[in-house]
Amino acid sequence: MKYFPLIWAALWRKPARTILTLLSVTAAFTLFGLAIGVNATYADIVARARPDRFFVSPRFDDGFLTLAQRDRIAHMNGVVKMGSDDFFIGYYRDPKNQLVPDMMDHGMRDTSDVPLSPKQWDQLEATPSGVIMDDLTAARFGLKAGDAFPVLTTPPWPARRDGSRLWPFTVIDIIKNPLWARGGLILGNYDYFDKERPAARSSTTYQLHVLVSNPARIGELTDQIDKMFANSPNPTWSFSDELLAQLSTSYQFNIPLVTESVAAAGLFMILFLIGNGIAQSVRERIPEFAVLKTLGFSDIGVMALVFVEAAIPCLLGAVIGFSIAWAAAARISGLSVLQKLAIAPPSLSPRVLGVGLVLAVLVAVASAVLPAWRIRRLDVATALKR
């Protein structure tokens, strides 16, 4: 307890400096928390990639695959399950409300990551024009289960087989948005879509989801498939789930690199603020430290005062900053702008917060090392003459 009055007096020696330092550190840790939260989200997306799955897509943007290709791949040695899906781009009520329904076949039950229960899969297959959407998309459009959901298309996206551009869907259920689906989820029935679109595009699909018995053979199988269809009217591009997860972190720009740079800048800012403040405070109080040594305080004890003086604003700023970041993350997770840009929100889990607090301690120690070392080597007689 004898150290507490000394620490308190040191912190409030210049209240304006202490308050401004705390505010600056809080702002820096808020920024740092959001940055590492976004990075943690994308790291989790990459970690969730299935090692036993790969995808087959058209090699060219305007291409498509045929169900005959799907059936041929399904009979390859090592392939155990397969699903296929297709999509189109339309809008709901206003051209600004653009959306991309994902039309899935029965095989997607086992090969996709969409968070549907068996009952919801049954509902989707039993309701040809039904769709299941995530809660963020439903909130964005003001929809609930049971609502009509008419989707209009414009060229080059397909009209229905009867020539109408109105696709009359019905919302049959709403699910929680998974972090990996930042563009939103609108899940529909592939069989219905295939029967209703123009006959020229019937029995085609955009992507195949393939599960294998031996993950070590994925490279071999993807190469074999691409070579098999290299000279066909529908050449393919096959890639692993892990590659897709890595590509998703670089949508439009390298998100992990940007967030890591922001986090590093935030840590440097904190280190500079705390280090500069402690160094200045120690310089101003050299005679006081000399008196403490004269009164019998050990070198370790005096150094501990410096470390604690650095740790208090750093840890307090970290706690307040991370609290603000956590509250902000909860608010911005539903922002439609993130959905439109397909950017995942920060995920401030207890593990991420724990890492942040550990870094706060390390920054406090690093900022106090040189001032504390200076006090340890302090010549008492010289200091008392000041």
Side-chain angles (χ1 to χ4, degrees), residues 95-139:
K96 294 180 181 178
N97 295 332
Q98 195 173 83
L99 45 87
V100 186
D102 185 9
M103 316 305 287
M104 307 180 299
D105 72 357
H106 179 80
M108 294 288 282
R109 279 180 179 249
D110 300 312
T111 59
S112 74
D113 291 330
V114 294
L116 299 185
S117 66
K119 180 181 177 181
Q120 289 169 325
W121 276 109
D122 291 341
Q123 282 182 295
L124 191 60
E125 293 181 5
T127 313
S129 62
V131 295
I132 296 176
M133 63 178 59
D134 69 286
D135 53 352
L136 298 184
T137 301

Side-chain angles (χ1 to χ4, degrees), residues 39 62 66-67 87 113 116 144 162 180 183 230 241 273 304 310 380:
N39 204 48
D62 59 349
T66 66
L67 297 189
F87 73 95
D113 291 330
L116 299 185
K144 62 183 184 300
D162 61 7
W180 51 263
D241 194 4
L273 288 169
V380 175

Side-chain angles (χ1 to χ4, degrees), residues 235-277:
T236 61
W237 175 43
S238 306
F239 50 92
S240 68
D241 194 4
E242 293 173 340
L243 176 60
L244 178 63
Q246 292 168 3
L247 291 175
S248 71
T249 66
S250 302
Y251 176 78
Q252 297 183 343
F253 52 89
N254 192 324
I255 296 172
L257 178 61
V258 172
T259 55
E260 288 168 6
S261 300
V262 171
L267 278 182
F268 178 79
M269 177 180 173
I270 298 164
L271 181 60
F272 176 80
L273 288 169
I274 299 294
N276 183 65

Side-chain angles (χ1 to χ4, degrees), residues 166-366:
L166 177 65
W167 292 79
F169 295 111
T170 301
V171 180
I172 57 178
D173 209 347
I174 294 173
I175 59 175
K176 183 174 177 57
N177 175 268
L179 288 179
W180 51 263
R182 294 311 306 161
L185 281 179
I186 301 175
L187 309 173
N189 191 312
Y190 171 82
D191 291 333
Y192 166 75
F193 176 63
D194 194 45
K195 291 175 183 177
E196 288 291 324
R197 63 180 165 181
R201 282 294 307 271
S202 181
S203 299
T204 65
T205 188
Y206 181 75
Q207 190 173 68
L208 305 176
H209 299 231
V210 186
L211 296 186
V212 298
S213 57
N214 182 4
R217 292 194 60 209
I218 281 185
E220 173 192 341
L221 289 170
T222 54
D223 288 344
Q224 187 177 344
I225 291 169
D226 291 344
K227 289 177 182 178
M228 183 189 308
F229 299 112
N231 296 319
S232 75
N234 306 99
T236 61
W237 175 43
S238 306
F239 50 92
S240 68
D241 194 4
E242 293 173 340
L243 176 60
L244 178 63
Q246 292 168 3
L247 291 175
S248 71
T249 66
S250 302
Y251 176 78
Q252 297 183 343
F253 52 89
N254 192 324
I255 296 172
L257 178 61
V258 172
T259 55
E260 288 168 6
S261 300
V262 171
L267 278 182
F268 178 79
M269 177 180 173
I270 298 164
L271 181 60
F272 176 80
L273 288 169
I274 299 294
N276 183 65
I278 290 299
Q280 186 174 350
S281 177
V282 167
R283 282 195 301 268
E284 294 170 353
R285 292 155 49 214
I286 291 296
E288 297 176 18
F289 285 113
V291 170
L292 290 177
K293 285 193 171 187
T294 303
L295 293 175
F297 280 77
S298 65
D299 288 340
I300 298 298
V302 175
M303 291 174 67
L305 288 175
V306 177
F307 281 113
V308 173
E309 187 180 341
I312 288 177
C314 198
L315 289 175
L316 185 58
V319 171
I320 298 174
F322 282 137
S323 298
I324 295 173
W326 180 82
R331 291 294 299 273
I332 67 178
S333 63
L335 291 180
S336 61
V337 65
L338 289 185
Q339 214 178 2
K340 291 177 181 177
L341 294 175
I343 297 176
S347 176
L348 293 176
S349 63
R351 178 178 61 84
V352 173
L353 295 176
V355 170
L357 289 176
V358 169
L359 289 174
V361 173
L362 294 177
V363 167
V365 171

Side-chain angles (χ1 to χ4, degrees), residues 29-45:
F29 268 113
T30 300
L31 179 65
F32 177 75
L34 291 173
I36 64 174
V38 170
N39 204 48
T41 298
Y42 281 94
D44 182 64
I45 290 174

